[in-house]
Amino acid sequence: MIPEKLQIPLGAFLVVAIILIGTFVSPTSADNNFKNRGISIAGLVVFYIVLYITSANRKKIVWRTVLVGLLCQYILALFVLRTGVGYNIFNFISFLARYGSR
């Protein structure tokens, strides 16, 4: 199928493409415009670059895990922020965390 040397670069390209498409396709509003979305994406890129630069042993980074984690986090964020069901689920969890232990 896909050669082993190309799996991580193609996976990274796919994850970046999914994030960019998901970020810039949805409708905009006054507070949620393309400029603010671009700033958020740039912040994410800077964050990962800083983590990479400050890594003690860059060769031990498991990029497959990083990419899968980033994609899962993005999908979860879309679920929570773009759907009423996701918002309600996490709002309920937040309610339990705040008032459930009393």
Side-chain angles (χ1 to χ4, degrees), residues 2-10:
I2 299 174
E4 190 173 330
K5 286 186 174 185
L6 292 177
Q7 288 180 359
I8 297 300
L10 287 175

Side-chain angles (χ1 to χ4, degrees), residues 17-40:
I18 289 170
I19 290 174
L20 289 175
I21 290 169
T23 299
F24 291 107
V25 166
S26 60
T28 61
S29 65
D31 293 335
N32 189 5
N33 55 29
F34 290 133
K35 179 183 175 188
N36 290 340
R37 293 177 190 188
I39 290 170
S40 297

Side-chain angles (χ1 to χ4, degrees), residues 24-100:
F24 291 107
V25 166
S26 60
T28 61
S29 65
D31 293 335
N32 189 5
N33 55 29
F34 290 133
K35 179 183 175 188
N36 290 340
R37 293 177 190 188
I39 290 170
S40 297
I41 294 293
L44 182 67
V45 169
V46 168
F47 184 72
Y48 275 93
I49 289 172
V50 167
L51 288 176
Y52 179 77
I53 289 171
T54 60
S55 175
N57 193 348
R58 295 182 189 125
K59 292 186 180 196
K60 288 196 174 188
I61 297 173
V62 183
W63 287 107
R64 184 178 306 246
T65 305
V66 172
L67 293 171
V68 170
L70 180 62
L71 185 61
C72 288
Q73 181 180 357
Y74 184 76
I75 291 170
L76 180 65
L78 283 180
F79 175 68
V80 172
L81 296 174
R82 300 279 187 222
T83 67
V85 174
Y87 176 81
N88 290 336
I89 289 171
F90 280 86
N91 193 29
F92 178 71
I93 292 170
S94 171
F95 175 81
L96 290 178
R98 285 180 282 155
Y99 303 111

